[in-house]
């Protein structure tokens, strides 16, 4: 098995995060600095035959895969920094080790998927898979239909051209947008390029997961829970068929 894939299955983060750790020289394999091309040897019971460590700390067998959902509140930082009192890490259970699939800005709120399934994280986060993420956005002033058309056709800012997307009006100052990209602060920068400021941004849905339906709308801001077996199955089925 490829080293990055094994590290992701052990719950240290997504496969991409594991690759960054390997590049930074934080992973050792049998007493030496590991390389991306290093294979991990497994026995017939899928137990690792190699000694692998991260920052000198041994990495044990892979944890059972877990899938949780959170209704992130404004002010929570998705970076897992123990020294930051606003960090998401202080809301997560001790076990299993969970990692956010993508991030929401500190000043944004809504649906956040948490898992130790590196393969699933990769499929959801990598732009080549173009999975849908739905947001409700409130602006600082009323907008015209031309604004909706511009947002839907793609906006250029900072030498970036966003892809066409679905946009529909919710009120004089709010709209729903469905993205398949995941650029940093994308919606805020799109709106700013057209002369508006975002004053509230909430992620409503990620593929089959819809915040309005989870726990019949009883998942309060700042709360999290494991996904049900049915919710996990539906999400994985959608990923396979996408």
């Amino acid at each position: 098995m490829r080293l990055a894939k094994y590290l992701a299955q052990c719950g240290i983060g997504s496969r991409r995060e594991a690759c960054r750790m390997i590049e930074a020289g934080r992973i050792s394999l049998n007493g030496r600095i590991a390389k991306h091309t290093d294979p991990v040897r497994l026995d017939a019971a899928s137990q690792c035959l190699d000694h692998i460590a991260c920052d000198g700390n041994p990495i044990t067998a892979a944890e059972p895969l877990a899938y949780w959902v959170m209704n992130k509140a404004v002010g929570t930082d998705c970076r897992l920094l123990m020294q930051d009192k606003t960090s998401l890490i202080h809301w997560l259970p001790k076990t299993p080790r969970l990692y956010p699939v993508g991030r929401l800005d500190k000043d944004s709120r809504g649906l956040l998927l948490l898992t130790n399934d590196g393969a699933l994280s990769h499929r959801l986060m990598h732009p080549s898979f173009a999975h849908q993420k739905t947001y409700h956005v409130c602006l600082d002033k009323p907008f015209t239909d031309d604004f909706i058309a511009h947002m839907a056709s793609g906006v250029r800012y900072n030498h970036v051209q966003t892809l066409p997307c679905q946009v529909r009006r919710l009120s004089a100052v709010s709209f729903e947008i469905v993205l398949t990209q995941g650029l940093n602060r994308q919606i805020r920068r799109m709106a700013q390029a057209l002369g508006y400021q975002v004053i509230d941004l909430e992620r409503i849905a990620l593929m089959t997961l819809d915040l309005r339906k989870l726990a019949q709308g009883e998942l309060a801001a700042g709360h999290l829970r494991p996904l049900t077996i049915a919710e996990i199955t539906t999400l994985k089925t959608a990923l396979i068929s996408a």
Side-chain angles (χ1 to χ4, degrees), residues 92-172:
L92 301 182
K94 297 296 183 182
T95 57
R97 291 174 291 179
L98 299 171
Y99 302 86
V101 179
R103 293 177 178 174
L104 280 174
D105 299 330
K106 190 173 183 178
D107 47 357
S108 299
R109 59 194 179 98
L111 180 66
L112 191 63
L113 178 62
L114 305 155
T115 185
N116 56 6
D117 186 338
L120 181 137
S121 294
H122 175 73
R123 285 191 64 89
L124 283 171
M125 292 172 61
H126 200 281
S128 63
F129 294 105
H131 296 309
Q132 293 187 338
K133 300 172 286 291
T134 306
Y135 302 82
H136 283 181
V137 187
C138 184
L139 301 180
D140 60 334
K141 57 187 176 182
F143 54 85
T144 65
D145 290 341
D146 285 341
F147 170 84
I148 292 289
H150 277 117
M151 291 288 285
S153 62
V155 176
R156 186 168 183 80
Y157 62 86
N158 297 341
H159 307 294
V160 171
Q161 177 66 46
T162 65
L163 296 176
C165 58
Q166 302 173 42
V167 185
R168 70 181 181 92
R169 181 187 290 275
L170 297 176
S171 73

Side-chain angles (χ1 to χ4, degrees), residues 193-222:
L194 299 178
Y196 296 82
Q197 296 294 323
V198 172
I199 61 173
D200 184 52
L201 193 157
E202 180 180 22
R203 181 154 64 198
I204 294 297
L206 172 63
M207 291 197 67
T208 62
L209 301 175
D210 191 318
L211 190 62
R212 295 160 293 187
K213 298 177 182 178
L214 293 169
Q216 293 76 49
E218 296 174 0
L219 193 63

